[in-house]
Amino acid sequence: MAYPEMMLAPMRQDLTRLGVQELRTPEDVQQALQDTSEPTLLVVNSICGCAARNARPAVAMALQNQKKPPRLTTVFAGQDIEATQAARGYIHGYPPSSPSIALLKDGDVAFMLERHQIEGRSADAIAEDLVNAFNQHC
């Protein structure tokens, strides 16, 4: 079930205000993700509490790191369904998970945080995982 856009706007803005490019259509996804030769962050956003409390704040903290992916992207699971499905096609070897955070590089997943690695953990701990991945792959 899709939620009214006015409810989602603040959740989308949590990432877009950081310079994360929102991918709303399969065409947006293809254009943004077809070449991941340079590190590309892909955040599968969600309306759930662990996205609000853990995932989005962790992304905001991690993006303050000196090293970070030059390309930042997001899709919104359960809302932009076709775009999310297309984006998940780039997350090889992982089942659908929302929220989730992938670091894509050279056409593959260099680092992945699935929902079970986000839910119940602090934003600080998740941000630390992301910073370590950024430092290693960016």
Side-chain angles (χ1 to χ4, degrees):
M1 173 185 138
Y3 289 87
E5 188 58 37
M6 65 183 236
M7 287 180 60
L8 299 176
M11 296 173 211
R12 293 181 187 277
Q13 291 167 2
D14 280 347
L15 295 174
T16 58
R17 69 179 172 78
L18 302 170
V20 179
Q21 177 188 4
E22 189 167 41
L23 311 174
R24 307 268 321 246
T25 68
E27 294 77 22
D28 292 344
V29 170
Q30 181 181 3
Q31 185 176 19
L33 300 182
Q34 66 186 348
D35 175 18
T36 58
S37 56
E38 61 183 6
T40 302
L41 185 70
L42 172 59
V43 179
V44 180
N45 200 353
S46 173
I47 197 164
C48 72
C50 63
R53 184 175 49 257
N54 309 62
R56 293 191 301 264
V59 169
M61 285 185 264
L63 290 179
Q64 295 176 32
N65 190 49
Q66 183 176 5
K67 281 188 171 185
K68 57 189 167 201
R71 297 172 63 203
L72 309 170
T73 64
T74 184
V75 293
F76 208 114
Q79 306 306 312
D80 301 324
I81 295 168
E82 293 85 10
T84 302
Q85 184 176 357
R88 285 180 171 149
Y90 291 88
I91 305 173
H92 310 287
Y94 293 90
S97 177
S98 358
S100 61
I101 306 167
L103 182 61
L104 308 174
K105 185 177 179 183
D106 297 325
D108 205 358
V109 178
F111 178 78
M112 180 73 181
L113 284 172
E114 298 175 86
R115 180 187 178 108
H116 71 88
Q117 296 165 304
I118 295 171
E119 195 172 31
R121 294 182 64 214
S122 72
D124 290 332
I126 297 162
E128 184 177 336
D129 289 347
L130 291 171
V131 165
N132 289 338
F134 295 172
N135 288 339
Q136 181 178 352
H137 299 287
C138 298

